[in-house]
């Protein structure tokens, strides 16, 4: 394959930086330079490459020790020698893993350019090569990290891997911190760099173990998917074919590789919930009756609930839940149009195509071309028109980029980009006073350690302010909790209790809509029983979200309003009876999260709210009959003890 212009430009940039670096290293300390070269080669040899695609939807903010070594080299040796260290590490790792020449050049060029940019930023921000004094050089260290991180992400992830821009702030901050620590050690004595080796081995083994555990879990889920496919001869290898169709479509559309992996595995696992459907229904020749259809309609939500339990595949849960929906909203759960995520449209068309071209007990399969014609005929009603057009083109051997307009292609690629929730601003720190306390203590101790009296005094002041705010938050939370307690007072029916509760919450947490959702015993659905507000959400979308999140174990479930086609957030409090059975949710849709004291009051009162709003099970024959099961359990326990004694 011919390299792209961006790849050629990256290689040219890297070679140019390498040429300049070779001309400028004559005055570099040879001992430190040699030790850094040795360290980066050793780390690259046994650190698992993050450039190799795993073909599995397993993601975490991976910590790269090679990056920490490169940052340390930039501080100790400067931008040009540091660029050579980065290039050496990339070349050594590429040769060890038998990377193709073009890939090896890209890796080395990207690493060289990123390192040089970081080193130059360090100097421009006031840093001095061969010296690191904290806190004086803190700004220079931050500038180095940001420049190194930005250029590396652009060249490695965006240009080379065709991924979206994701700077991995947490992992990158850790790399910068370790790099600064290594630099301080190396400046004291170059041989101190060898302390990296045991740390590198430990971190690498932990990351390999984590990846192995996730892969084993994914293989177990895949085994369940195979079991589902093999329960009925007409669906044998169905999920494999659906995954193949989705993968081919996503690749033809040039989606990011991580998105391709997520879509493929969504297709692979989309029918897991059928493990709970009677095999006789899957192979029934005649029409399904009402109860049988109800059982079949449960399987997408059961699949989603199963996937939601595993964090690394939870992102596919919503698409899997909605793979039997239609654009016109006449699918299993009545969700359609813009409420369907892009991934679900890929699954819908791939699943339908495989179903149409496969012989089923109740009808013969269509030919390949007849099925494609059916997709074209139902584009816009059953299928997303752009996705359907692209799918048909791929199946006919046509490049979809030649049949889609620029607007249609931008629509698909834009929908594939991950949505990220913004970071809270400094103004919201007053809602988290415990962070102010901890931050103030850290800064005060740092001031004492660096003999900076002004920093210690400022840190102490911040800590005292945080403690004061914390006391105010607790006091206000107690007042809100008392108001909620009064709203839940006895002597009223559930309608009146909910009305008073919603009004009480509205006084302290302005919101657009509040509702009481009753929950089915099987945990796969519910209905809105009471509501206050004008902008009612889609019951199907709300229920689907709660199905996926109900068993998360969290005391409060929060999602972005984007999932419901609105701004703000959606929060739900699980409501339980005194026997801990989940019976419903108190759902609030608001422009923003509640203030800290309101959050504390709601979490503290959630059990009381559940007992007040949970519908009590009816007793046949009064309380006397309720005691019979308890008495039977007690008698069974006594009998077991007698038998143990006899034995």
């Amino acid at each position: 394959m011919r390299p792209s212009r961006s790849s050629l430009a990256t290689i040219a940039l890297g070679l140019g930086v390498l040429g300049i670096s070779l001309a400028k290293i004559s005055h570099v300390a040879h001992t430190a330079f040699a030790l850094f070269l040795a360290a980066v080669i050793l780390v690259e040899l046994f650190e698992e490459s993050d450039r190799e695609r795993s073909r599995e939807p397993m993601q975490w903010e991976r910590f790269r020790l090679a990056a920490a070594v490169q940052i340390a080299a930039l501080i100790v040796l400067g931008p040009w020698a540091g660029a050579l260290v980065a290039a050496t590490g990339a070349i050594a790792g590429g040769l060890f893993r038998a990377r193709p020449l073009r890939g090896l050049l890209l890796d080395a060029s990207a690493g060289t350019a990123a390192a040089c940019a970081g080193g130059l930023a360090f100097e421009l921000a006031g840093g001095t090569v061969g010296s690191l004094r904290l806190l004086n050089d803190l700004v220079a260290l931050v500038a180095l990290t940001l420049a190194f991180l930005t250029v590396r992400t652009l060249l490695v992830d965006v240009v080379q891997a065709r991924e979206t821009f994701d700077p991995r702030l947490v992992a990158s901050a850790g790399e910068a911190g370790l790099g600064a620590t290594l630099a301080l050690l190396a400046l004291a004595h170059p041989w101190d760099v060898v302390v990296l080796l045991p740390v590198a081995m430990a971190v690498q083994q932990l990351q390999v173990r984590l990846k192995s555990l996730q892969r084993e879990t994914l293989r177990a889920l895949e085994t369940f998917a195979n079991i589902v496919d093999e329960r009925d001869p007409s669906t044998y290898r169905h999920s494999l074919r659906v995954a193949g169709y989705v993968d081919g479509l996503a690749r033809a559309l040039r989606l990011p590789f991580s998105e391709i992996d997520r879509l493929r595995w969504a297709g692979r696992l989309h029918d897991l919930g059928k493990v709970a459907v009677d095999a006789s229904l899957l192979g029934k020749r005649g029409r399904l009756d009402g109860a049988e259809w109800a059982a079949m309609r449960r399987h997408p939500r059961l699949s989603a609930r199963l996937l939601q339990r595993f964090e690394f595949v939870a992102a596919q849960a919503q698409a899997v839940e909605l793979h039997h929906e239609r654009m016109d909203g006449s699918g299993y759960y009545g969700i359609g149009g813009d409420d369907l995520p892009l991934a679900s449209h890929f699954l819908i068309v791939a699943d339908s195509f495989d179903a149409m071209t496969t012989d089923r007990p109740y009808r013969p399969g269509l030919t390949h071309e007849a099925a494609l014609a059916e997709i074209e005929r139902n584009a816009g009603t059953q299928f997303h028109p752009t996705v359907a057009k692209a799918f048909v083109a791929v199946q006919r051997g046509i490049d979809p980029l030649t049949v889609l307009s620029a607007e249609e292609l931008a629509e698909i690629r834009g929908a594939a980009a991950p949505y990220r929730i913004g970071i809270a601003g400094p103004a919201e720190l007053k809602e988290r006073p415990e962070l102010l306390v901890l931050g103030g203590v850290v800064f005060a101790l740092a001031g004492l350690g660096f003999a900076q009296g002004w920093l210690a005094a400022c840190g102490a002041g911040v800590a005292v302010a945080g403690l004061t705010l914390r006391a105010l938050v607790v006091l206000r939370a107690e007042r809100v909790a008392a108001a909620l307690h009064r709203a839940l007072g006895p002597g009223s029916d559930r309608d009146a209790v909910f009305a008073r509760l919603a009004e009480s919450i509205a006084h302290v947490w302005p919101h657009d809509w509040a509702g009481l959702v009753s929950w089915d015993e099987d945990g796969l659905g519910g209905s809105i029983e009471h509501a206050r507000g004008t902008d009612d959400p889609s019951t199907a979308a709300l229920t689907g979200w709660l199905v996926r999140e109900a068993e998360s174990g969290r005391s409060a479930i929060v999602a972005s309003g984007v999932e419901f086609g609105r701004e703000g957030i959606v929060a739900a409090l699980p409501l339980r009876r005194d026997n801990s059975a989940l019976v419903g949710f108190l759902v609030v849709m608001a422009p923003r999260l509640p203030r800290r004291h309101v959050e504390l009051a709601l979490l503290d009162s959630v059990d009381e709210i559940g007992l007040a709003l949970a519908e009590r099970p009816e007793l046949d024959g009064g309380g006397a009959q309720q005691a019979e099961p308890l008495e039977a359990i007690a008698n069974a326990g006594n009998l077991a003890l007698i038998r143990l004694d006899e034995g």
Side-chain angles (χ1 to χ4, degrees):
M1 182 184 296
R2 186 176 179 180
S4 63
R5 292 181 180 178
S6 57
S7 298
L8 293 175
T10 300
I11 294 174
L13 176 62
L15 292 177
V17 172
L18 279 176
I20 298 174
S21 299
L22 290 171
K24 290 196 173 212
I25 62 169
S26 57
H27 301 295
V28 173
H30 298 297
T31 302
F33 184 51
L35 288 175
F36 272 110
L37 288 176
V40 77
I41 290 173
L42 288 174
V43 169
E44 283 282 3
L45 288 183
F46 64 76
E47 185 174 46
E48 188 173 277
S49 175
D50 61 353
R51 302 178 185 93
E52 303 298 332
R53 294 187 55 232
S54 66
R55 301 279 295 163
E56 294 159 346
M58 300 183 296
Q59 295 181 336
W60 65 87
E61 291 208 0
R62 185 157 176 267
F63 183 88
R64 295 195 68 243
L65 286 156
V69 175
Q70 293 166 15
I71 290 172
L74 292 173
I75 297 171
V76 176
L77 305 175
W80 307 110
L84 287 175
V85 170
T88 302
I91 292 172
L95 292 175
F96 179 74
R97 301 180 186 93
R99 291 271 288 169
L101 179 60
R102 189 180 70 182
L104 189 148
L105 288 175
L106 274 172
D107 291 344
S109 299
T112 301
C116 184
L120 292 175
F122 180 75
E123 292 185 333
L124 290 174
T128 302
V129 174
S131 174
L132 184 63
R133 296 178 57 197
L134 298 175
L135 299 165
N136 295 340
D137 291 331
L138 182 60
V139 174
L141 182 61
V142 171
L144 184 159
T145 304
L146 291 177
F148 178 79
L149 166 67
T150 302
V151 176
R152 183 184 69 178
T153 304
L154 285 173
L155 296 181
V156 175
D157 294 342
V158 178
V159 174
Q160 185 176 350
R162 294 206 333 251
E163 294 289 352
T164 54
F165 183 83
D166 182 6
R168 303 185 302 114
L169 294 176
V170 175
S172 299
E175 294 166 359
L178 181 57
T181 303
L182 290 173
L184 291 171
L185 292 172
L187 289 170
H189 194 288
W191 281 102
D192 290 343
V193 176
V194 299
V195 302
L196 169 72
L197 297 180
V199 177
M201 294 177 65
V203 173
Q204 191 263 351
Q205 288 301 315
L206 286 174
Q207 292 191 139
V208 169
R209 181 57 180 161
L210 174 61
K211 192 171 185 178
S212 175
L213 288 173
Q214 290 189 347
R215 185 175 287 116
E216 289 171 6
T217 304
L218 197 59
R219 295 300 174 228
L221 293 174
E222 188 177 19
T223 300
F224 280 115
N226 292 336
I227 292 173
V228 170
D229 284 350
E230 293 173 4
R231 295 177 69 202
D232 180 13
S234 65
T235 60
Y236 179 63
R237 302 181 69 84
H238 166 70
S239 64
L240 277 172
R241 292 192 297 271
V242 170
Y245 294 141
V246 168
D247 182 86
L249 176 59
R251 287 177 179 278
L253 291 170
R254 313 291 198 274
L255 296 185
F257 285 131
S258 58
E259 184 69 15
I260 295 173
D261 294 339
R262 285 192 290 267
L263 288 168
R264 182 181 63 256
W265 278 96
R268 190 71 179 89
L269 305 175
H270 74 284
D271 269 346
L272 279 181
K274 281 187 177 178
V275 73
V277 178
D278 195 314
S280 63
L281 296 185
L282 301 176
K284 186 174 180 179
R285 294 181 177 276
R287 286 184 172 273
L288 301 180
D289 59 28
E292 292 169 338
W293 260 120
M296 284 294 294
R297 281 195 296 267
R298 294 170 67 239
H299 88 265
R301 281 190 169 156
L302 182 56
S303 299
R305 192 169 72 174
L306 290 171
L307 292 183
Q308 194 70 30
R309 291 174 175 266
F310 305 95
E311 183 178 355
F312 60 97
V313 290
Q316 291 82 262
Q318 185 184 21
V320 166
E321 179 200 355
L322 303 177
H323 76 271
H324 276 293
E325 302 309 297
R326 296 169 54 105
M327 278 293 292
D328 58 10
S330 61
Y332 276 16
Y333 306 130
I335 301 175
D338 295 335
D339 294 330
L340 295 173
L342 175 74
S344 66
H345 292 300
F346 279 63
L347 292 180
I348 291 168
V349 69
D351 184 65
S352 299
F353 179 75
D354 187 70
M356 286 188 286
T357 55
T358 304
D359 291 333
R360 295 296 171 90
Y362 45 87
R363 54 122 182 99
L366 299 178
T367 64
H368 184 273
E369 191 57 37
L372 293 179
E374 187 71 15
I375 291 175
E376 289 178 317
R377 190 160 41 250
N378 289 278
T381 54
Q382 182 176 356
F383 308 108
H384 189 290
T386 304
V387 174
K389 184 191 297 186
F391 182 85
V392 170
V394 170
Q395 292 302 314
R396 287 175 175 163
I398 303 172
D399 186 349
L401 303 185
T402 63
V403 300
L404 297 181
S405 66
E407 293 77 12
E408 291 173 330
L409 188 59
E411 176 189 9
I412 289 182
R413 289 180 174 171
Y419 174 79
R420 303 189 184 280
I421 299 176
I423 300 175
E428 297 184 18
L429 283 177
K430 66 179 185 298
E431 297 296 324
R432 303 284 174 175
E434 59 273 9
L435 298 181
L436 291 176
V437 176
L438 293 175
V441 170
V442 169
F443 277 106
L445 294 175
L448 293 174
F450 288 106
Q452 301 290 330
W454 65 271
L455 181 60
C458 290
V462 170
V464 171
L467 288 172
T468 304
L469 285 175
R470 174 64 180 173
L472 292 175
V473 167
V474 172
L475 179 61
R476 298 179 71 183
E478 291 175 351
R479 291 177 179 174
V480 174
L484 295 176
H485 177 76
R486 289 192 296 271
L488 299 173
S492 303
D493 59 16
R494 297 171 67 240
D495 297 355
V497 170
F498 172 77
R500 290 200 306 268
L501 177 64
E503 184 177 356
S504 180
I505 293 175
H507 284 308
V508 293
W509 182 16
H511 55 264
D512 304 321
W513 184 87
L516 174 63
V517 178
S518 60
W519 207 235
D520 298 341
E521 290 184 4
D522 61 6
L524 295 177
S527 59
I528 299 176
E529 189 172 348
H530 302 287
R532 281 173 62 93
T534 55
D535 191 9
D536 293 346
S538 165
T539 302
L542 182 61
T543 301
W545 171 60
L546 293 175
V547 166
R548 298 192 302 273
E549 299 287 351
E551 297 183 2
S552 64
R554 295 192 294 268
S555 54
I557 306 169
V558 181
S560 168
V562 173
E563 185 168 335
F564 301 90
R566 62 178 68 207
E567 297 180 353
I569 60 95
V570 182
L573 293 176
L575 305 180
R576 302 181 184 276
R577 292 197 186 102
D578 47 7
N579 63 354
S580 298
L582 179 65
V583 293
F585 294 89
L586 177 64
V587 182
V588 178
M589 296 188 170
R592 61 184 60 86
L593 290 169
R595 300 183 67 179
R596 181 60 169 167
H597 67 282
V598 178
E599 176 188 346
L600 292 175
L602 286 170
L603 293 178
D604 186 59
S605 306
V606 65
D607 291 338
E608 188 179 357
I609 294 173
L611 293 176
L613 295 180
E615 187 174 3
R616 296 291 189 273
E618 296 182 1
L619 298 176
D620 296 330
Q625 290 196 10
Q626 186 180 7
E628 290 181 3
L630 297 177
E631 184 178 356
I633 293 173
N635 292 336
N638 292 334
L639 181 59
L641 290 174
I642 291 172
R643 289 178 175 174
L644 285 173
D645 291 338
E646 291 176 349

